[in-house]
Amino acid sequence: MSKILVGLKRVVDANVRVRVKPDGSGIVTDGVKMSINPFDEIALEEALRIKEKGGASEIVVASIGPAETQQQLRTGLAMGADRAILVQTDTAPEPLAAARIFLKLIEKEDPAIVLFGKQGIDDDNNQTGQMLAALWNRPQATFASKIELDGTRARVTREVDAGLETIEVDLPAVFTADLRLNEPRYVKLPEIMKAKKKPLDTLALADLGVDTTPQFRTLKYEPPAAREKGTMVKDVAELVNALKTKGLL
Amino acid sequence: MAKILIVAEHAGGKLNQATAKCVTCAAQIEGAQIDVAVFARDAAQLAAEAAALAGVTRVLRVENAANAEPLAAVLAPQVAELAKGYTHVFGPSTTFGKDLMPRVAALLGVGQLSDIMVVESPWRFRRPVYAGNAVVTVEAPEDRILVATVRTASFSAAPQRESGQAPAPVESASVSVELPTHTRFVERSAPTTGRPDLQTATRVVSGGRALGSAENFQMVHRLADKLGAAVGASRAAVDAGYAPNDLQVGQTGKIIAPELYIAIGISGAIQHLTGIKDAGTIVAINKDPEAPIFEVADIGLVGDLFTILPELEKAIGA
Ligand SMILES: Cc1cc2nc3c(=O)[nH]c(=O)nc-3n(C[C@H](O)[C@H](O)[C@H](O)COP(=O)(O)OP(=O)(O)OC[C@H]3O[C@@H](n4cnc5c(N)ncnc54)[C@H](O)[C@@H]3O)c2cc1C
Ligand SMILES: Nc1ncnc2c1ncn2[C@@H]1O[C@H](COP(=O)(O)O)[C@@H](O)[C@H]1O
């Protein structure tokens, strides 16, 4: 039976109002809530559902990040994953390096399905799954909103600009989850206790023999340009007038 | 000198406007040679469209029955092969480009820069991160091909060449690479017709969770029709089934830049706002005066949409 590998990235929680540090060196992360990237939670939920329907035997969650990422992996285990792998590093790898690291994990784990989120809500890159599929020389089905497995193949509905697109891919393959693939379950307390006993292996990035030298240099962070303060109108007539004044009606 | 390859996006036998926006972005790199590659089963018509765009140096037709549908796994090895000899390879930051370009980059063994919003130099760009809460200036190495996607809302479409100016030369390019058969196109939902396209419309009317039902959401459609506008929706409205997914505006939907954006019953979560930051005028209608949408709105009206919309329709007239 087959294995599913799920990528869980540790990111600033989606509800945090992100602020740029005054010196422009990054964003404020001190004391800020960190979570599993929301798309990755959806990816994991999908893996759990596949396993619950008998479509997989084991779910391995993996993350590349600092030691604290254990928290997010434990949450993944509490959601129902069987095993976790942390590739520990204090410097966040660029997507290509992350894909190379995941390729190493694939060589070890031999999964039939790799499930990622479509994008990390930190850098909004939307790259790692596609890059991994390329390096692995396997199919990719990005922006998935429905995954139907059929033996050695999968039919995936994708959310594209034009609406919905369906493709068929041979397994093994990489899928990236979109928002409407499913709604992730809540973790219950007993599961959090159980998760503490599940295996979580830590690998040192240096031991994997992957080139993670960054290619890009981030020179500075800035807050986005603010929009000018607008005006409030009190009724529809004023609204219509305001639009006419601006030449929009 | 910069030699830029742009991967054209097209559908239904027409070039997507995103391609012309990539041309504008590329043209901001001084002295750049700009080639547009059209991958299709039959690219004659599309190539002619691309050749008519101002700023384009050359158009490459890459024709193959396997290119009938835009499958990233099939296109990527061809783009990667064609990319050799170029300094930059650009694609639009649409679902097409986001799917394809990272695969191209990985095949070339290089990283990718997502969502170029400002060109500062041939190797220095600005792009949004954290749902647009921050903008970073990034420098790419000069010694390898730069693969990037272009944030289409940040650039206007390149105009047609001036009358009298000859179209760019069109050449057939053959790429001899093995194409995978592990990925197959099945179907695509029929495009919603009749209304302006959300990504290119100059006016957009969007509805949120407050509409309450697919039936009520028709009010948004009616107002849009009166204004000749495209219809958009918040994620909550799409999740609830009031509107199809291709109407979602925001971080994970469409990033748009219409002249007029009217948000009805939308709270203005950061993930939504990031999709409309480049709009000319934002109008917000919301019953909660504290709703964050009013922080970005140019014109705000506090009130119940169910009384405001009928009044507004009447006031606008036929
Ligand atoms: C990873 C991630 C990605 C996301 N991506 C997107 C995205 O791309 N696009 C997006 O839109 N969202 C996105 N979201 C969701 C986003 O955070 C919000 O949940 C969503 O935008 C809320 O939609 P809404 O404003 O319609 O609903 P609500 O937040 O529920 O707001 C409804 C509003 O309607 C008002 N209202 C209620 N009744 C009336 C009435 N009768 N008349 C007038 N006003 C009324 C209320 O005051 C309220 O402000 C994302 C979230 C996450 C975590
Ligand atoms: N450091 C990481 N650890 C675990 N998963 C990751 C990491 N980086 C990227 N991923 C996966 O790749 C997806 C896309 O990320 P990105 O390309 O950064 O937008 C994420 O949703 C994750 O599933």
Side-chain angles (χ1 to χ4, degrees):
Chain A
M1 270 282 261
S2 54
K3 207 187 269 187
I4 304 180
L5 178 65
V6 181
L8 296 188
K9 192 175 193 193
R10 173 184 163 92
V11 298
V12 171
D13 188 88
N15 296 311
V16 171
R17 226 179 167 143
V18 170
R19 301 204 185 278
V20 174
K21 285 185 190 163
D23 68 356
S25 64
I27 58 132
V28 177
T29 49
D30 282 350
V32 161
K33 186 181 177 204
M34 303 295 286
S35 297
I36 298 177
N37 183 38
F39 293 102
D40 302 358
E41 229 182 321
I42 297 171
L44 174 53
E45 176 64 36
E46 195 65 15
L48 296 171
R49 291 183 190 187
I50 291 170
K51 187 182 167 202
E52 283 159 7
K53 280 189 270 179
S57 53
E58 192 186 28
I59 296 170
V60 180
V61 286
S63 192
I64 309 162
E68 296 79 14
T69 310
Q70 290 195 11
Q71 297 159 6
Q72 281 69 43
L73 288 171
R74 287 284 171 211
T75 306
L77 292 170
M79 275 178 75
D82 299 293
R83 227 156 31 84
I85 302 171
L86 171 61
V87 178
Q88 198 174 320
T89 168
D90 285 330
T91 41
E94 289 178 355
L96 181 61
R100 285 177 174 149
I101 293 165
F102 270 100
L103 187 65
K104 289 282 178 192
L105 300 184
I106 285 176
E107 284 162 7
K108 274 196 199 148
E109 301 287 344
D110 191 28
I113 294 172
V114 176
L115 260 162
F116 275 6
K118 78 164 176 182
Q119 84 193 63
I121 61 161
D122 45 7
D123 285 337
D124 287 328
N125 274 320
N126 199 327
Q127 299 176 8
T128 313
Q130 297 89 309
M131 288 180 161
L132 176 62
L135 300 179
W136 194 18
N137 201 10
R138 293 305 308 167
Q140 67 188 46
T142 52
F143 322 135
S145 65
K146 190 170 167 197
I147 298 174
E148 297 161 285
L149 296 178
D150 170 19
T152 58
R153 292 174 302 182
R155 226 171 212 258
V156 182
T157 305
R158 310 176 52 234
E159 293 204 359
V160 294
D161 289 339
L164 296 172
E165 176 183 291
T166 307
I167 60 171
E168 187 183 70
V169 299
D170 295 335
L171 300 180
V174 177
F175 303 138
T176 75
D178 213 320
L179 288 173
R180 278 169 287 274
L181 182 58
N182 59 53
E183 209 165 307
R185 66 196 63 189
Y186 283 103
V187 183
K188 298 188 201 80
L189 197 61
E191 264 108 46
I192 297 175
M193 301 311 290
K194 261 201 299 191
K196 290 192 175 145
K197 296 202 196 75
K198 289 185 180 175
L200 192 165
D201 291 331
T202 300
L203 309 175
L205 177 59
D207 294 344
L208 291 178
V210 175
D211 179 10
T212 57
T213 323
Q215 295 186 25
F216 297 102
R217 225 155 51 94
T218 301
L219 304 177
K220 67 169 180 238
Y221 283 74
E222 286 167 287
R227 289 183 72 94
E228 254 173 62
K229 187 101 190 80
T231 52
M232 298 301 283
V233 294
K234 68 172 198 317
D235 55 25
V236 168
E238 277 193 14
L239 171 60
V240 169
N241 271 339
L243 287 172
K244 282 189 176 148
T245 312
K246 285 179 175 269
L248 291 165
L249 267 187
Chain B
M1 194 190 83
K3 251 189 104 180
I4 305 176
L5 180 69
I6 292 172
V7 183
E9 175 171 357
H10 56 88
K14 279 207 152 29
L15 218 53
N16 185 317
Q17 210 191 59
T19 307
K21 293 183 170 190
C22 289
V23 172
T24 300
C25 174
Q28 291 181 6
I29 293 176
E30 269 209 15
Q33 171 185 329
I34 302 172
D35 290 359
V36 177
V38 182
F39 294 82
R41 188 206 302 265
D42 172 6
Q45 192 61 42
L46 295 160
E49 264 189 71
L53 293 173
V56 172
T57 311
R58 191 166 65 133
V59 179
L60 302 170
R61 282 167 67 164
V62 191
E63 292 171 313
N64 189 328
N67 293 345
E69 296 294 340
L71 295 170
V74 173
L75 295 179
Q78 302 176 67
V79 179
E81 185 59 28
L82 210 58
K84 292 174 184 154
Y86 286 91
T87 56
H88 301 64
V89 184
F90 286 176
S93 198
T94 55
T95 52
F96 165 78
K98 289 175 183 171
D99 189 36
L100 173 63
M101 301 309 282
R103 193 159 178 128
V104 171
L107 292 179
L108 292 169
V110 299
Q112 181 192 282
L113 193 70
S114 297
D115 307 314
I116 292 177
M117 60 191 293
V118 176
V119 177
E120 293 206 332
S121 83
W123 305 102
R124 194 185 284 188
F125 303 88
R126 275 197 265 166
R127 64 172 297 258
V129 292
Y130 290 92
N133 272 310
V135 175
V136 286
T137 304
V138 182
E139 204 165 64
E142 297 184 22
D143 61 352
R144 57 194 93 174
I145 301 176
L146 174 62
V147 177
T149 59
V150 174
R151 185 177 180 273
T152 49
S154 299
F155 300 90
S156 55
Q160 298 288 303
R161 292 168 114 83
E162 292 185 11
S163 59
Q165 197 195 355
V170 177
E171 293 170 23
S172 276
S174 66
V175 281
S176 48
V177 284
E178 211 185 308
L179 301 183
T181 54
H182 54 48
T183 305
R184 298 167 293 273
F185 175 81
V186 179
E187 63 184 359
R188 188 173 302 115
S189 59
T192 32
T193 46
R195 288 211 170 76
D197 172 50
L198 179 56
Q199 266 162 320
T200 51
T202 53
R203 297 168 167 196
V204 173
V205 182
S206 273
R209 193 199 307 272
L211 269 299
S213 70
E215 210 179 13
N216 289 343
F217 204 85
Q218 291 305 317
M219 298 172 74
V220 176
H221 287 281
R222 277 207 305 274
L223 180 62
D225 287 348
K226 287 226 152 145
L227 292 167
V231 173
S234 71
R235 174 192 173 184
V238 175
D239 283 0
Y242 309 160
N245 70 282
D246 50 308
L247 298 191
Q248 181 171 314
V249 171
Q251 180 187 22
T252 50
K254 290 184 173 129
I255 311 279
I256 55 174
E259 282 165 25
L260 174 63
Y261 185 79
I262 305 183
I264 299 165
I266 292 178
S267 59
I270 183 71
Q271 294 91 356
H272 186 82
L273 299 186
T274 192
I276 60 171
K277 282 210 170 108
D278 299 292
T281 298
I282 298 176
V283 176
I285 298 170
N286 195 305
K287 72 172 183 194
D288 174 10
E290 302 296 322
I293 188 79
F294 289 123
E295 287 166 32
V296 300
D298 300 285
I299 306 172
L301 176 53
V302 176
D304 187 338
L305 73 92
F306 294 103
T307 50
I308 291 172
L309 283 196
E311 281 178 40
L312 186 56
E313 267 188 58
K314 212 187 278 167
I316 293 169

